Amino acid sequence: MMQGGSTLATAIRDVTTVSTSLINCLMDTDEDEPNFDTITINVSGKRFETCVKTLERFPETRLGNPMLRKKYYNITRKEYFFDRNQEAFHAILYYYQSRGSLYIPPAIQEQVFYQELDFWGISPEQPKGENGFTLMDDQDHQKQPHEFRWGKLQKTMYVFLNKPKSSFGARIWASVDIFVILCSVINLVVESYGNKNRSPGDTATPYFAVDATCVTFFSIDIVLRCMVAPDIGRFFRKPLNWFDFLAIMPFYLELSLGGFMRTGSMNNNIIMPFKILRIFRITRVLKLIRHSGRLILMIQVLLDCVYELAMLLVIWLMGVFIFGTIMFYIEHEQDDTEFKSIMHSCWWSVVSMS
């Protein structure tokens, strides 16, 4: 009797599980007629299950087109197998479930993610889905839609300014930004020739005209990105944005104090700090980091390996001290020796080991 009751309970539990899965598929479909078909997708060993109707919302993609996904079907396992990036597929599946919204997972490099989009047949250049195509960071994906103060316009501008690969216009804007950065750096180098007697406040030179044009573009870019940022606090916490501010700050200081500098009505001790601030113009080179995914990836790798790098530095310093000390005791008795102390010997060791 107990065995019969256990069997009945197991059967009821199985029926409940199946019913729940069928109800989920029924709620996910947009058709009047219910569709209970599900599909299992194996991505490098990790299985995902969703409704066929969910994938058919985008029939031009690899998963949404039965003919395109047919060759990946494993008859034995009764599933579709793809040897692709697992982390990226979370965002790919969300694209189908959300009818066109796409976010970039934090653990995926942007260039790698766009390669995944190309494989799955999802193009970030054309609007897709009922709600329109949206490309955002994972942090923005976790935010509520009302956090974009201007709604769809702000979201569109945010993607345009921060995601160069999101559209052809975004590529043009990013290309112009790179061109202006290079012009600004070249102008800075050329200006250094014969610049000894030039006053910092002098505006009657072609160098100033080029610099003013470049800074105007930089100012428009950073103001627009600040205005459309969904989280202003997070925007100002990014180091690259501070580099952008430092790149344009010396120009406006020179422009505002130029009259005093030319007339000599300001004390040299007061002018000197503002002249030193011109050094920050070299931070314009760092603006190129924003347009290079490889540089960003390299910086992230260095930050993740900071403790290992610190250990490597400690080992290097130990070698410097050991070999510097040995060289000192070997050479210090010589009359014409340059190793007058262990610190002198350590400097030799630093040069030799570097």
Side-chain angles (χ1 to χ4, degrees):
M1 185 69 179
M2 293 293 292
Q3 182 177 1
S6 176
T7 303
L8 179 61
T10 302
I12 294 175
R13 185 167 62 252
D14 293 341
V15 170
T16 304
T17 303
V18 173
S19 301
T20 303
S21 300
L22 296 179
I23 291 174
N24 291 336
C25 286
L26 178 61
M27 294 177 63
D28 189 56
T29 183
D30 295 330
E31 303 292 336
D32 295 334
E33 297 181 0
N35 188 295
F36 305 117
D37 294 336
T38 60
I39 182 174
T40 302
I41 305 170
N42 186 331
V43 182
S44 298
K46 188 172 185 179
R47 289 177 173 83
F48 300 82
E49 188 172 358
T50 186
C51 293
V52 175
K53 285 294 182 181
T54 301
L55 303 180
E56 290 179 348
R57 292 170 179 167
F58 304 94
E60 71 281 2
T61 61
R62 189 178 297 273
L63 286 178
N65 191 320
M67 299 303 297
L68 294 178
R69 68 172 184 259
K70 182 178 179 180
K71 64 178 181 179
Y72 299 96
Y73 186 71
N74 188 319
I75 301 178
T76 305
R77 295 178 177 269
K78 295 182 179 181
E79 64 184 15
Y80 293 88
F81 178 79
F82 296 90
D83 188 16
R84 306 300 299 184
N85 192 295
Q86 294 180 359
E87 295 297 329
F89 191 75
H90 287 279
I92 300 298
L93 185 58
Y94 179 77
Y95 172 79
Y96 292 93
Q97 295 170 339
S98 61
R99 301 181 178 88
S101 295
L102 191 65
Y103 71 95
I104 302 179
I108 300 297
Q109 177 62 23
E110 186 172 337
Q111 183 178 0
V112 175
F113 185 72
Y114 277 104
Q115 292 175 355
E116 292 295 311
L117 290 183
D118 183 65
F119 173 80
W120 297 108
I122 299 175
S123 174
E125 298 181 358
Q126 300 176 355
K128 298 178 180 293
E130 299 174 4
N131 297 337
F133 181 85
T134 304
L135 184 63
M136 60 189 76
D137 290 327
D138 181 66
Q139 292 87 345
D140 300 324
H141 160 65
Q142 298 173 357
K143 296 179 180 296
Q144 297 297 328
H146 66 267
E147 293 192 17
F148 285 97
R149 299 176 298 279
W150 307 338
K152 187 176 180 180
L153 175 61
Q154 182 183 2
K155 188 181 297 185
T156 302
M157 289 295 298
Y158 175 81
V159 173
F160 176 83
L161 294 171
N162 293 276
K163 302 298 175 184
K165 296 183 180 179
S166 62
S167 65
F168 179 75
R171 286 194 180 97
I172 295 297
W173 180 267
S175 300
V176 173
D177 190 23
I178 295 174
F179 176 77
V180 174
I181 293 172
L182 294 177
C183 288
S184 176
V185 174
I186 293 173
N187 181 67
L188 179 63
V189 174
V190 175
E191 185 184 9
S192 64
Y193 288 93
N195 191 38
K196 184 176 181 180
N197 298 323
R198 177 180 174 268
S199 172
D202 189 5
T203 59
T205 62
Y207 306 116
F208 177 83
V210 174
D211 198 38
T213 303
C214 296
V215 171
T216 300
F217 180 85
F218 295 150
S219 302
I220 294 174
D221 178 70
I222 193 171
V223 169
L224 288 177
R225 287 192 292 106
C226 181
M227 292 175 62
V228 302
D231 188 345
I232 299 298
R234 180 169 171 262
F235 176 84
F236 284 104
R237 287 193 298 270
K238 289 185 175 181
L240 286 179
N241 293 329
W242 281 104
F243 290 148
D244 292 343
F245 282 113
L246 290 175
I248 63 176
M249 180 181 63
F251 174 83
Y252 289 111
L253 287 176
E254 286 187 16
L255 193 64
S256 59
L257 301 175
F260 298 101
M261 293 180 179
R262 288 192 298 270
T263 58
S265 56
M266 293 183 65
N267 191 299
N268 288 332
N269 294 330
I270 300 177
I271 296 177
M272 186 55 65
F274 294 103
K275 289 183 178 181
I276 296 176
L277 285 176
R278 301 185 71 200
I279 298 175
F280 288 110
R281 295 169 68 186
I282 62 176
T283 58
R284 297 175 188 179
V285 178
L286 301 178
K287 291 171 64 67
L288 292 173
I289 297 177
R290 189 187 306 279
H291 300 283
S292 177
R294 289 184 175 88
L295 284 176
I296 295 176
L297 178 61
M298 183 179 297
I299 293 174
Q300 291 175 346
V301 170
L302 290 176
L303 292 177
D304 292 338
C305 301
V306 62
Y307 294 107
E308 289 78 7
L309 292 175
M311 183 59 63
L312 181 63
L313 177 62
V314 170
I315 295 174
W316 179 77
L317 290 175
M318 290 171 59
V320 168
F321 181 75
I322 291 173
F323 291 110
T325 303
I326 293 174
M327 183 57 66
F328 169 74
Y329 283 108
I330 292 176
E331 296 286 339
H332 78 285
E333 294 183 356
Q334 302 295 327
D335 295 333
D336 57 346
T337 182
E338 295 183 358
F339 301 97
K340 301 177 181 179
S341 67
I342 291 181
M343 292 304 297
H344 286 82
S345 302
C346 285
W347 175 247
W348 166 85
S349 183
V350 167
V351 174
S352 300
M353 295 181 64
S354 300

